Amino acid sequence: MSINDVSNLFMFVGGLGMFLFGMKSMSSGVQKTAGGKMQELLGILTNNRLVAVLVGAALTAIVQSSGATSVMVIGFVNAGMMTLGQAVGVIMGANIGTCITAWIVSLGQLGDTFKAFSPSLYAPLLLGIGALFASFSKTTKKQIYGEILLGLGLLFIGLDFMGDAAQSYMHLPIISNTFLLFGSSPLLGIAIGMIVTAIMQSSSASVGVLQTLAASSGAVSVSAAVYISLGANIGSCLPAVLSGAGAKRDAKRVAAMHLMYNVFGAVFFGILGMILFRLTPSFANGSISSPEIAMFHTGFKIAVTLILFPLANYMVKLSGVFVKEKPEDVVTEEEMEEDAVMLRHLDRRILRSPDFAVENALKEVVHMGEVTYENLAKVCRCVLGNERELLPKIFSTERSINKMEELITEYLVEIDNLSLTAKQHDIVKNLFYAISDIERVGDHAENIAEILQSKQNGEPVIFSEDALTEMAEIMGLVKEGYGCSINAIAESNVDVATLVGKYEEKVDDLEEELRDKHIERLSKQLCKPTNGVAFLDILSNLERISDHAYNLAGYVISEHE
């Protein structure tokens, strides 16, 4: 091996590295600019399967990897945010959306006739402008644009490096014979496509390399390109299959549907290809261009979707046959009740998309707030209605709230280390503060329950009619204020958050007024001292809950300033 051979090998590896890094950088930048649009795409998912297909295609066009989209979908199903019926549509769309990279690669292989329009001509300029934006821009938005331009420039420069390095060897008989072998042996061609894609973790990348080799000298035959592309389609399922291994049964079924979809496409079109290539050997052995590979790649994906679209419900049922229910998958009523309280939306697979990860963390914080509100309402019923049988449930839920705080905090730490925009960092920071305030609300509700419990085995706490009327008034204001603060977070609504401040002022004034009235009753010996102390302690805890509600509303207002 000469020094030129080593140099070409290094050039090919370096080009591949630039291509892969460029894809990742461009995808990351696009995701950041898409921001809420990706969340909106998920939000419009309905039982309309056509909409789900379009959403899947759009999401994959952004993240440029059907495997990544499938992993996210598994996370959504595992977190109970998406049904299997919706998931199968997204999986179909994801396979179409991944074709966009093949078309981007084709733009770089337009040839001398379209040299002035070739992205490779502008790649160094894109790289330069992107570097300037990323390095010297003071605004986050321009830095993200720089990241996208850098990724795009590196992608095309990497393709040029790979093409130039491969061109030196494409004329060798061993190369042409190898592709003829792949073309004459469907199983071998499909296996090569699967292996390369499994290593690269992206069918877009493996097909892009195939397109580059095809553009270098025309050594890639039509049959070889078809079989390798079909194999790449199956290989792209590996991330989803691995991700589904540790998930719940429905999430495993998503991975099974993805695999079924791609295996069916490879087998069906592989058989058609074998028949066609046997009848027309000259066509099978002819060379194929980069744009033609992109056309086949796209046409094949669309055709498979059209065939399987009417059979989507059967795919869902068939996935249940392949992924059978195990004894440990059966959930008891007690476990279902506990799951309703504990975390619903957090799944680490969703961390692949920072936008969705932030949105889902926000939903879980709201869920924690709702659980805490329910516990507060139960405590109020214990005080006003003497429903002491609720006390054990209140203490049990409080333990769940404490666990939720711990798990959400861990999840937010992971999110904070992702590639986030400045606004997303602010949201995550406020969520850290919010879960602390919500947990303290839970503690104060527990304090009130403990005040009632401490008297349960001895002298019971009995309030006068006047005291109960006053307590009902302040409890109503506290619940209204805290409920508004959780709604403000859920809806990111400044108007609702502003209302919390008004409730907080009323609670402060009323708490002071009721405290004075109760002390006056104590001085006139209209109630027992032990009950009087309990009344004042409950008032104090209610006032603190109102303060935490005000803090929660303040985080929403700060995000809009």
Side-chain angles (χ1 to χ4, degrees), residues 191-202 205-207 209 228 232 235:
I192 290 296
M194 286 174 56
I195 293 169
V196 172
T197 303
I199 293 171
M200 291 187 171
Q201 297 277 294
S202 171
S206 58
V207 172
V209 172
I228 292 173

Side-chain angles (χ1 to χ4, degrees), residues 116 125 154 199 278 292 304 314 332 399 433 457 477 481 511 532:
L125 179 62
L154 282 172
I199 293 171
R278 287 284 177 88
E292 287 170 342
V304 174
Y314 294 102
T332 64
R399 288 192 293 271
Y433 295 143
N457 299 323
L477 289 173
E511 190 264 349

Side-chain angles (χ1 to χ4, degrees), residues 143-200:
Q143 289 173 356
I144 294 172
Y145 289 153
E147 186 178 344
I148 296 172
L149 294 175
L150 275 171
L152 201 56
L154 282 172
L155 187 151
F156 288 117
I157 290 175
L159 288 172
D160 283 346
F161 268 51
M162 284 194 291
D164 292 343
Q167 209 160 20
S168 305
Y169 303 104
M170 283 298 155
H171 66 280
L172 298 176
I174 188 174
I175 300 297
S176 56
N177 291 336
T178 299
F179 280 110
L180 284 174
L181 177 62
F182 293 159
S184 62
S185 176
L187 291 179
L188 183 59
I190 290 173
I192 290 296
M194 286 174 56
I195 293 169
V196 172
T197 303
I199 293 171
M200 291 187 171

Side-chain angles (χ1 to χ4, degrees), residues 95 111 128 231 243 335 378 439 454 472 492 543:
N95 280 276
S243 178
E335 289 173 330
K378 287 175 184 174
E439 194 275 334
S454 64
S492 188
E543 193 275 332

Side-chain angles (χ1 to χ4, degrees), residues 468-536:
L468 287 174
T469 301
E470 293 169 354
M471 193 70 76
E473 183 180 5
I474 191 169
M475 281 182 170
L477 289 173
V478 170
K479 287 194 295 181
E480 284 291 329
Y482 180 62
C484 280
S485 69
I486 299 302
N487 289 335
I489 294 174
E491 301 168 7
S492 188
N493 191 318
V494 176
D495 293 333
V496 176
T498 304
L499 281 176
V500 179
K502 296 178 181 178
Y503 279 115
E504 205 274 335
E505 288 178 8
K506 290 180 181 179
V507 169
D508 283 347
D509 293 340
L510 187 58
E511 190 264 349
E512 186 176 345
E513 178 186 336
L514 297 185
R515 184 176 292 276
D516 290 341
K517 285 184 178 180
H518 199 69
I519 290 173
E520 185 179 344
R521 280 198 295 269
L522 283 172
S523 66
K524 293 179 180 180
Q525 297 182 345
L526 296 177
C527 68
K528 295 180 180 180
T530 52
N531 292 343
V533 172
F535 183 92
L536 295 176

